[in-house]
Amino acid sequence: MGLDRAFFSWLRRVPNRLFFTVHAIHKHFDSFQQVYDERYQAKYGYWRPIIEQSVSAYLKCGDLQEGFARVRCPDCKHEMFVAFSCKQRCTCPSCHQKRTLLTALHVGE
């Protein structure tokens, strides 16, 4: 029962709420990518293409302009738009939390 309550405490990512984070990534990611080989490659290894893909997906996560599904309740006929998520672990805090809670529900059964 406690896990069920934990699942419902998850909230979807709303891009406008995380304005500072998204703004910082938009502003600095290109320069980070340009200096990566010089500053960080010796310690962390070569630049992996998945890094750019992951950051790009994170920036699009939860944004209705990037795509959505229209959901309708069969009982009350209430409709709402649900933005697509990136489904990334570790990069996106919202998707990571959701996946963690779903895994906990599965393990708890």
Side-chain angles (χ1 to χ4, degrees):
M1 184 79 167
L3 291 177
D4 291 337
R5 265 188 257 134
F7 177 73
F8 290 110
S9 68
W10 169 81
L11 296 174
R12 74 176 181 88
R13 178 179 176 267
V14 178
N16 295 338
R17 266 195 220 151
L18 300 174
F19 179 76
F20 176 77
T21 307
V22 173
H23 177 72
I25 291 172
H26 275 295
K27 187 174 181 181
H28 300 291
F29 187 70
D30 290 335
S31 60
F32 170 72
Q33 191 175 3
Q34 290 172 356
V35 299
Y36 182 87
D37 290 339
E38 179 185 326
R39 292 187 185 175
Y40 305 106
Q41 185 173 9
K43 186 172 183 178
Y44 299 107
Y46 67 94
W47 179 264
R48 293 161 189 81
I50 191 69
I51 296 169
E52 188 173 358
Q53 295 168 1
S54 180
V55 169
S56 177
Y58 166 68
L59 292 174
K60 295 177 182 178
C61 182
D63 188 353
L64 289 171
Q65 294 178 349
E66 296 294 334
F68 58 87
R70 187 178 196 171
V71 181
R72 178 185 301 170
C73 175
D75 298 329
C76 70
K77 308 295 186 217
H78 175 76
E79 291 184 354
M80 61 186 280
F81 295 120
V82 179
F84 293 143
S85 65
C86 63
K87 299 175 183 70
Q88 306 256 344
R89 289 180 299 160
C90 301
T91 306
C92 178
S94 178
C95 290
H96 181 79
Q97 179 67 21
K98 181 178 180 181
R99 187 174 285 216
T100 301
L101 292 171
L102 288 172
T103 301
L105 283 172
H106 178 70
V107 170
E109 290 178 349

